[in-house]
Amino acid sequence: MAVVAGVALGLGLLTSCADDNPSPPPRTAATAATASSAPHGCLPADDPAASVRGGYGVGQTEVTFVDHSRPTDAVPERGLAGRPDRTIPVVVSYPIAPAAGAARDAPAVAGAAPAPGRFPLVVLSHGVTANGTGVATFVAAPFVRQGYVVVSPTFPLSSGPGGTIFDLPNQPADVSFVITSMGTWSTAAGSPLAGHLQADCLAIAGHSLGAATTLAAAYLSCCRDQRVRAVVSLAGVLAPFKGTFADNPPVPLLIVHGDQDETVPLARSADIFTTLRGPRYFVTLRGAGHTTMFLNQAGQTLNQSVTAFLDAYLKGDFTALRALPDDIRRSTIATYQAAD
């Protein structure tokens, strides 16, 4: 409960630190954003993975990237000395051909050969006190099975017991560094993903503090990474720690939040939806909390929404996204809004 209270208080402080940068006025939500506002799919049209929608297994490997251009602060109360660099371990989860007879939810296979084709890249950021391994295990797999390489970094100071939210201003640059490093690593001789990653076909996503990180990396004026083609915010919040979200680039955005979230209130996502511009979709999960949004029927709706969104804006297939409003209405587990 102390962690929950700390997250809520800390995010409130971060979001109040830029009062001189007011949000633009709210925009009216449409019943559905149109496909005409979307870019074409960013996979090569003749790639064997371009037309495949799901059915993959999950392979996994780990790599550590070190950014020597930026330091890491000391945290004496955790016994952490300062460092001259930012060291970021990542878990790389990627599509593989499933073993014969394997269950759909079979666990990841370390070091397995990738499935044929080139796959889009999704960088998925964890919340405070979590880590990349946990995100890879409990969140990433449905997206990988749909045909995405999902990279889950562990941030230097917000991860693990005693993790702090106050390193947030450094994390958008961590995300950008991981994106660059993945492009280099995946093309190096001996890389298990050589020839299998379309690194410029890119989405970024995150949960809680990871969503705040993601939103800053895509939309905050200090930190915008122009390579990003799509954004997913799970129980997120706008944190204008430096600069402004005004006149943000209109990168397509999916917002998912539980209406029983006691850590980051649903109103924070409502603010994201009305503040940012560009195609945006807002799925509210009835009865779901900050972490229970990943479980049971709420989790199924979350996974369906995310994969439909990614398929639309990275693979150019809007079939599932167009069907999503009716699917959600029939399920009664969620509500749906969209605007462009």
Side-chain angles (χ1 to χ4, degrees):
M1 186 61 68
V3 170
V4 170
V7 172
L9 174 60
L11 288 175
L13 290 171
L14 286 167
T15 58
S16 65
C17 68
D19 290 340
D20 55 333
N21 295 309
S23 299
R27 294 170 172 83
T28 302
T31 56
T34 62
S36 61
S37 63
H40 296 294
C42 46
L43 289 179
D46 59 349
D47 190 273
S51 60
V52 177
R53 302 289 180 266
Y56 292 105
V58 181
Q60 207 165 81
T61 190
E62 299 181 13
V63 63
T64 297
F65 299 130
V66 181
D67 185 350
H68 295 284
S69 70
R70 298 181 300 128
T72 303
D73 293 338
V75 185
E77 59 270 27
R78 295 177 65 189
L80 299 178
R83 296 177 57 96
D85 57 50
R86 300 276 295 181
T87 297
I88 307 172
V90 302
V91 179
V92 182
S93 304
Y94 54 89
I96 64 173
R104 176 176 172 79
D105 59 350
V109 181
R118 302 178 71 87
F119 301 96
L121 173 63
V122 179
V123 178
L124 180 60
S125 297
H126 65 76
V128 67
T129 74
N131 56 52
T133 301
V135 166
T137 302
F138 297 108
V139 182
F143 316 144
V144 179
R145 294 189 182 102
Q146 188 70 6
Y148 296 91
V149 172
V150 180
V151 177
S152 309
T154 294
F155 296 113
L157 298 183
S158 66
S159 57
T164 175
I165 68 165
F166 293 105
D167 198 42
L168 170 62
N170 293 308
Q171 292 188 175
D174 290 340
V175 169
S176 291
F177 176 70
V178 167
I179 293 167
T180 299
S181 299
M182 278 298 299
T184 302
W185 173 78
S186 67
T187 58
S191 169
L193 289 186
H196 294 282
L197 180 67
Q198 191 74 25
D200 61 350
C201 194
L202 169 69
I204 57 176
H207 175 242
S208 192
L209 188 70
T213 300
T214 296
L215 292 163
Y219 303 116
L220 189 59
S221 60
C222 66
C223 313
R224 295 168 182 166
D225 192 315
Q226 297 182 359
R227 297 169 292 183
V228 174
R229 294 174 179 261
V231 178
V232 178
S233 172
L234 308 175
V237 58
L238 295 174
F241 49 82
K242 183 180 180 181
T244 177
F245 285 102
D247 299 318
N248 65 278
V251 179
L253 169 64
L254 172 68
I255 304 163
V256 185
H257 210 127
D259 67 2
Q260 299 302 306
D261 192 328
E262 296 182 353
T263 304
V264 179
L266 177 62
R268 297 295 192 179
S269 278
D271 178 55
I272 297 168
F273 185 72
T274 57
T275 296
L276 297 179
R277 67 189 183 112
R280 32 203 206 287
Y281 308 81
F282 186 4
V283 176
T284 301
L285 301 170
R286 292 190 175 111
H290 196 62
T291 56
T292 59
M293 67 187 304
F294 298 108
L295 304 178
N296 304 319
Q297 195 172 359
Q300 294 171 18
T301 300
L302 183 153
N303 295 336
Q304 177 187 3
S305 301
V306 173
T307 55
F309 175 77
L310 294 177
D311 282 355
Y313 286 100
L314 297 186
K315 296 183 179 180
D317 183 354
F318 279 77
T319 305
L321 189 60
R322 290 192 188 105
L324 189 62
D326 287 338
D327 289 345
I328 286 177
R329 277 192 287 269
R330 284 192 295 267
S331 76
T332 72
I333 191 66
T335 62
Y336 171 94
Q337 301 175 72
D340 57 8

